[in-house]
Amino acid sequence: MAIEGNKKNVSPAMPARIRLGMVGGGEGAFIGAVHRIAARLDDQYEFVAGALSSTPEKAQRSGRAIGLAPDRIYSDYEAMAKAEAARPDGIEAVAIVTPNHLHAPVAEAFLKAGIHVICDKPVTTTSADAKKLLKLATKHKLVFAVTHNYTGYPMVRHARQMVKQGALGEIRVVQVEYPQDWLTEKLEATGQKQAEWRADPARNGIGGAIADIGTHAHNLGAYITGLELTELCAELSTFVKGRQLDDNAQVMLRYANGARGLLWASQVAPGNENNLRIRVYGTKGGLEWKQEHPNQLHWSPFGQPTQVIARATGAANAAAARVSRIPAGHPEGYLEGFATLYSEIAQAIRAARKGGPKADKAAHFPSLEDGIKGVAFIEAVVASSKRGGRWTKLSA
């Protein structure tokens, strides 16, 4: 049954649900369940297959726990890609929610099998791998989405539309931060699964906090402002003794239009849970949005009192309204933001079907190209920090 109220994303004559598989996201994982919930929220996907763990016993337990048929539970992603591609009822898309080092090989296997890819961020651990995936996706004419889920929040879309329409004038300053506190102590030493792989360079890649949450902050700034980041100056710090990767990042930003920015990402900031926040200032006014209070956007036209624009009210613009599901006063947040991306991605996948319906022109989601920019951002930050905070240009 479709969720009542999401009239913008759900068509009265919706085609068959998209058959979805998943790699990673088994027992003990966090983000896999989030993806599965988000995919079903607008009733556009059916979860039918998974390689939820590389350990056969855990893969079986995880698959059975969420109701997968025994013959659709795999312990090897390559075997899954081949088997599903050969089935008449095989998956059309795969969600990749593994540790970062597996994103590239898993995505490559499914692209070669002709299956659309929905990948968690950062899309790969190196730019070279990301560009290789772009060639594959282009060659096979497949959808490749990256789940920067904060771009799915209605008031983030409202802010983006304001910038596009010129409400802020020429953008001068961008400040974005994403502080957390969950790694204030050496949690990875306790065996906690989420901390353990994120603190391991072999699985997480060259960046710690900058890759895990700094990429979200970078993407949010790019999404709302539309500005091209050209160079940066960064300092990475590792405050917890014995930790191998950064747990705090401070980055100065320069944009192609002359705007300047600051980005702070930290996982050792007590009192912060998921305090993603952005402020954008232009010649005509400024705006501010906070992820922990996602249904309000603060808009300050120059020389006038600050206004609070609320989701699902008459003040919200069409970009916000088309991805709002429930009436004003009822909060929408993290899961709904993810669900918006899954619904937008569904339109692209259906459009790729032979004779499928065309996607709404307003529908959009972070692409592999956006993912490539995110990896280039991580690489530039790490390079700048290693050189003592030198200004470093982003690779093309």
Side-chain angles (χ1 to χ4, degrees):
M1 178 177 177
I3 299 215
E4 188 175 357
N6 188 10
K7 296 176 181 177
K8 302 295 180 183
N9 288 335
V10 178
S11 166
M14 182 184 291
R17 295 188 187 100
I18 293 163
R19 299 183 299 278
L20 179 68
M22 179 172 285
V23 177
E27 60 182 36
F30 157 65
I31 204 66
V34 170
H35 278 254
R36 292 191 292 270
I37 293 167
R40 287 289 291 137
L41 194 60
D42 291 332
D43 204 29
Q44 301 206 45
Y45 295 82
E46 181 181 8
F47 184 54
V48 296
L52 305 179
S53 173
S54 58
T55 304
E57 298 80 9
K58 187 183 288 188
Q60 284 293 323
R61 286 198 307 269
S62 300
R64 289 196 302 269
I66 56 178
L68 292 180
D71 65 334
R72 310 292 287 277
I73 300 173
Y74 305 87
S75 58
D76 180 274
Y77 68 84
E78 290 180 313
M80 176 179 166
K82 291 176 183 177
E84 290 295 319
R87 295 179 66 116
D89 62 347
I91 62 171
E92 298 172 84
V94 64
I96 302 173
V97 294
T98 64
N100 300 344
H101 72 295
L102 290 172
H103 289 181
V106 175
E108 182 177 355
F110 283 89
L111 289 173
K112 287 181 176 178
I115 294 167
H116 303 290
V117 171
I118 302 167
C119 188
D120 217 359
K121 60 75 217 163
V123 67
T124 58
T125 56
T126 70
S127 289
D129 282 343
K131 291 173 182 177
K132 182 179 177 181
L133 293 181
L134 180 59
K135 289 182 180 179
L136 268 176
T138 302
K139 175 183 176 181
H140 295 286
K141 298 180 180 179
L142 292 167
V143 174
F144 197 121
V146 180
T147 49
H148 281 293
N149 58 298
Y150 300 109
T151 65
Y153 283 61
M155 298 318 294
V156 168
R157 297 206 168 191
H158 181 106
R160 180 175 186 262
Q161 190 66 20
M162 287 181 68
V163 172
K164 288 180 70 174
Q165 292 175 343
L168 278 71
E170 184 180 357
I171 303 302
R172 290 172 167 169
V173 179
V174 181
Q175 292 189 301
V176 58
E177 61 186 51
Y178 197 160
Q180 300 174 331
D181 65 4
W182 72 296
L183 293 179
T184 297
E185 297 181 330
K186 200 175 181 183
L187 186 61
E188 61 267 31
T190 69
Q192 204 267 11
K193 182 177 179 180
Q194 301 305 315
E196 191 178 33
W197 74 258
R198 283 175 170 84
D200 179 5
R203 289 179 283 174
N204 198 55
I206 61 174
I210 195 62
D212 191 27
I213 56 176
T215 49
H216 273 312
H218 163 258
N219 178 263
L220 184 65
Y223 180 78
I224 288 177
T225 68
L227 297 180
E228 179 189 355
L229 179 62
T230 57
E231 56 183 336
L232 55 79
C233 174
E235 180 178 43
L236 296 178
S237 303
T238 304
F239 286 110
V240 175
K241 188 176 180 180
R243 180 166 286 159
Q244 298 184 70
L245 293 170
D246 63 275
D247 49 31
N248 190 85
Q250 295 164 294
V251 190
M252 292 191 292
L253 311 170
R254 289 175 178 169
Y255 294 94
N257 77 326
R260 296 294 184 261
L262 292 172
L263 185 149
W264 172 46
S266 181
Q267 293 175 315
V268 292
N272 290 280
E273 294 172 347
N274 277 283
N275 197 15
L276 174 61
R277 180 173 74 162
I278 185 168
R279 288 169 286 177
V280 181
Y281 302 100
T283 54
K284 295 181 180 179
L287 56 80
E288 179 176 4
W289 180 80
K290 300 177 182 179
Q291 192 274 150
E292 292 184 348
H293 302 279
N295 291 276
Q296 291 84 38
L297 178 72
H298 290 250
W299 160 232
S300 303
F302 180 63
Q304 300 179 40
T306 295
Q307 305 168 21
V308 179
I309 303 171
R311 183 198 63 78
T313 65
N317 61 29
R322 69 172 293 277
V323 295
S324 291
R325 293 168 177 77
I326 52 181
H330 298 279
E332 288 194 21
Y334 188 73
L335 290 172
E336 292 86 353
F338 253 108
T340 291
L341 293 196
Y342 265 93
S343 290
E344 306 278 57
I345 295 163
Q347 293 198 42
I349 292 172
R350 288 200 175 98
R353 288 173 173 171
K354 290 183 179 179
K358 290 184 179 180
D360 185 337
K361 289 183 179 180
H364 63 276
F365 50 86
S367 65
L368 182 49
E369 287 86 348
D370 296 309
I372 290 171
K373 291 178 181 178
V375 178
F377 169 74
I378 296 168
E379 291 174 338
V381 167
V382 172
S384 173
S385 184
K386 283 184 175 179
R387 297 166 66 200
R390 280 194 185 183
W391 283 99
T392 302
K393 292 186 181 298
L394 272 76
S395 61

